[in-house]
Amino acid sequence: MRRRAALKTLAGAAAAPLLRLQQAQPPRPNILFVMTDDQRHDAMGVAGNPILRTPNMDRIAAEGVRFTQAFVTNSLCGPSRASVLTGLYSHAHGVITNGAGPVYKDQPGLAPEQPTFVHLLREAGYYTGIVGKWHLRSLPTGFDQWAIFPGQGVYKDPEMIAGGTRVKLRGHADDVVGDQALTFLTQRPKERPFCLLFQFKSPHRAWFPAERHEHAFDDAVVPVPRTLEDRLQGRPEALRRAEMAIADMPDFRDRGVPASLPPAERKRKNLEQLVKNYYRVLLSVDENLGRVLDYLDQEKLRESTVVVYTSDNGFFLGEHGLFDKRLMYEPSIRVPLLVRHPARATGGRVDGRHMVLNVDLAPTLLELAGLAPPAWMHGRSLAPLLDGREPPWRDAFLYEYYEYPAEHCVRKNRGVRTARFKLIHFWEQPEEWELYDLATDPDETENLAGRPEQATRMRELRARMADLRREVGDVGEPGPPPVAAPCHA
Ligand SMILES: [Ca+2]
């Protein structure tokens, strides 16, 4: 009921930006929006990765702006993707989970009538397309041309749904997505500005590299995170019960890490295989990104095209002994964000001061296209930051996660992060809290919640979280009521 009412309001608000465009006729750059799946913030050469080399991601950073404090507001594929498209928090766009687990399996996904930045660009005359991973259950709307993987897609010889027809393609998923992007760019009507969403499956599970990269990093020494052996002392039961232990992941049992190995050895070997294969699939992302950037150069589109590069969520690579995401810890919620704009974001600047969010991308792209971001969007345009200006900016943001009970068994949680502190709340029974001081404890291992000397800080952060929830209309529960069902369906 609440969601239907929200959609109605949104549909009514959608017409405003078009009017503005007709009056002002601002310049309209092309938009190339690149998104990977589960790429963490430091999985790029330019971010100082000790092993991985990504010359094409680095090229966007060198010619644009790199945000090093970029976060998602829900570290899960579907919810984050819907937030990128709509500029809304999960509880408002309604995609609160991936549709996994017994409680959520019939969730419809993104409502076709839900306005997105792509709908608004198309109404304003853009030619719009998406190629690659969509993962929002419903079929895409608002696109002139689309070719998506069904569900998660597969790495080898993937199927795609193109305009309603299923086709099987040959090759590695990243190369297929690169081909599809070039097909869109070649076939598009040249007299209209374009907006292409170029979305890779990599580096999502189960990390099968292209044949040419199967032996990349064979001899590399994989760094061991400081918290690999974290005993989780003083931490919530919710963390201990999460099924994300790197020692137990089954993915590499037939790739050199048999289940018969002792747990400590299995943990180290799983970490090594995970990191190497995660980086291997990012090599083919970078190559295909390069093909498309080269095309823009060859066709002299570079000066008229905005390029944005990001990911839908981060990923644990052994921190706290974990893999996967969902939790509000830094490796899970931080993402890469690179923006190259021919006039506004140039010169390889690094913005390490402003906390920017996945919900900011939709209003940003609309503003860069000369449209006023609708007031109903929760995010705010990064355009002033791209110019290097210093507008008043957020000093805290809200995080939310709902997919429980489901795979990986991570209980519902929400939290608030400021530049220095992070408060996390598992609100269903048994209620649990975490508080971290990121300045003195960047690895998030010392839970300060419940300590008498932190009482004032806890109170302030709880009040802050309540304010932030009110600001984005987060009242009550967006999903089904709590259930006692086991989390592993
Ligand atoms: Ca993801």
Side-chain angles (χ1 to χ4, degrees):
M1 193 60 192
R2 196 175 119 213
R3 185 166 175 221
R4 200 172 308 140
L7 288 174
K8 203 172 158 192
T9 317
L10 302 184
L18 183 58
L19 294 174
R20 166 97 40 125
L21 178 81
Q22 286 164 344
Q23 288 157 8
Q25 295 292 321
R28 301 195 299 171
N30 302 308
I31 293 169
L32 176 68
F33 177 81
V34 191
M35 188 159 68
T36 49
D37 193 338
D38 289 10
Q39 182 178 3
R40 50 188 271 156
H41 71 99
D42 58 0
M44 296 188 293
V46 69
N49 193 283
I51 298 177
L52 180 63
R53 295 290 166 266
T54 53
N56 293 297
M57 296 173 209
D58 299 2
R59 181 168 146 197
I60 304 174
E63 296 164 352
V65 174
R66 177 163 72 96
F67 290 91
T68 61
Q69 298 293 310
F71 301 89
V72 292
T73 50
N74 184 336
S75 183
L76 189 63
C77 308
S80 179
R81 284 161 186 267
S83 287
V84 165
L85 286 165
T86 61
L88 293 171
Y89 269 79
S90 317
H91 63 265
H93 59 56
V95 185
I96 59 171
T97 73
N98 280 343
V103 182
Y104 301 107
K105 64 180 168 37
D106 297 323
Q107 278 216 325
L110 188 65
E113 68 275 22
Q114 167 72 59
T116 66
F117 79 84
V118 179
H119 286 107
L120 299 178
L121 289 176
R122 192 179 187 207
E123 281 175 30
Y126 273 74
Y127 188 74
T128 58
I130 176 171
V131 294
K133 181 151 172 189
W134 166 250
H135 201 217
L136 285 166
R137 290 169 81 87
S138 52
L139 292 177
T141 64
F143 296 95
D144 291 296
Q145 208 176 315
W146 53 273
I148 59 163
F149 297 133
Q152 293 278 11
V154 297
Y155 274 109
K156 188 175 169 11
D157 298 337
E159 270 195 338
M160 293 194 102
I161 312 173
T165 309
R166 276 191 183 233
V167 284
K168 183 143 173 110
L169 295 152
R170 306 277 287 183
H172 190 267
D174 294 338
D175 297 333
V176 165
V177 178
D179 291 346
Q180 294 292 321
L182 290 171
T183 301
F184 171 90
L185 291 171
T186 313
Q187 293 179 348
R188 76 189 201 282
K190 306 291 188 292
E191 70 285 0
R192 288 165 64 187
F194 69 81
C195 169
L196 173 62
L197 277 51
F198 177 23
Q199 306 197 155
F200 290 93
K201 171 179 175 57
S202 294
H204 190 278
R205 201 175 193 174
W207 314 286
F208 288 105
E211 248 177 73
R212 62 188 182 278
H213 297 311
E214 277 173 355
H215 294 287
F217 314 118
D218 270 358
D219 301 323
V221 177
V222 169
V224 174
R226 286 188 294 266
T227 57
L228 182 67
E229 304 298 337
D230 190 349
R231 312 302 268 189
L232 311 182
Q233 281 167 343
R235 324 284 272 292
E237 199 53 30
L239 179 59
R240 253 184 290 276
R241 296 179 74 93
E243 295 175 351
M244 292 162 50
I246 206 161
D248 300 333
M249 61 191 303
D251 302 72
F252 302 106
R253 281 181 189 163
D254 57 359
R255 288 191 266 174
V257 194
S260 56
L261 287 178
E265 194 180 341
R266 218 166 54 215
K267 188 180 202 173
R268 294 287 170 137
K269 290 208 165 190
N270 269 341
L271 175 68
E272 189 177 327
Q273 286 306 316
L274 169 62
V275 172
K276 287 183 177 179
N277 285 293
Y278 183 92
Y279 289 167
R280 283 169 185 149
V281 292
L282 281 167
L283 292 177
S284 43
V285 168
D286 195 70
E287 287 166 352
N288 282 287
L289 172 65
R291 289 170 74 198
V292 171
L293 293 178
D294 287 348
Y295 177 89
L296 297 182
D297 287 351
Q298 284 153 20
E299 297 299 310
K300 306 207 175 342
L301 291 166
R302 180 167 153 173
E303 290 305 310
S304 55
T305 305
V306 180
V307 180
V308 176
Y309 184 98
T310 192
S311 170
D312 63 349
N313 52 259
F315 206 79
F316 293 105
L317 289 176
E319 290 86 359
H320 314 287
L322 304 176
F323 72 107
D324 209 68
K325 54 255 184 182
R326 302 162 197 270
L327 294 163
M328 200 191 159
Y329 293 153
E330 297 288 282
S332 165
I333 63 172
R334 287 181 68 188
V335 287
L337 179 60
L338 314 171
V339 183
R340 184 180 85 179
H341 185 290
R344 308 179 77 150
T346 57
R349 205 150 39 78
V350 175
D351 185 325
R353 290 209 312 112
H354 300 96
M355 292 190 287
V356 299
L357 308 176
N358 56 353
V359 291
D360 296 334
L361 296 171
T364 302
L365 292 170
L366 290 170
E367 182 167 349
L368 294 180
L371 303 176
W376 51 260
M377 286 188 175
H378 292 151
R380 50 184 297 189
S381 170
L382 306 179
L385 303 182
L386 298 178
D387 295 337
R389 284 184 275 145
E390 290 287 338
W393 200 250
R394 67 170 65 88
D395 62 359
F397 72 88
L398 177 73
Y399 178 80
E400 56 187 4
Y401 175 81
Y402 299 101
E403 192 174 84
Y404 178 88
E407 198 184 359
H408 296 295
C409 201
V410 173
R411 289 178 56 203
K412 295 176 190 174
N413 66 90
R414 69 169 66 88
V416 57
R417 188 195 187 281
T418 69
R420 178 161 177 186
F421 293 99
K422 184 185 290 183
L423 182 72
I424 306 172
H425 187 203
F426 294 87
W427 72 86
E428 289 181 350
Q429 294 304 319
E431 191 181 15
E432 297 185 286
W433 294 90
E434 289 173 271
L435 172 65
Y436 297 102
D437 181 343
L438 300 170
T440 60
D441 178 26
D443 291 337
E444 302 166 286
T445 56
E446 194 180 2
N447 183 9
L448 305 174
R451 295 198 186 175
E453 75 276 12
Q454 298 291 337
T456 307
R457 177 157 297 120
M458 285 283 289
R459 205 163 39 243
E460 286 167 1
L461 287 168
R462 285 177 73 158
R464 196 66 216 278
M465 183 157 68
D467 288 344
L468 289 169
R469 289 185 67 194
R470 265 192 297 276
E471 280 173 26
V472 296
D474 179 21
V475 289
E477 292 285 329
V483 289
C487 49
H488 16 260

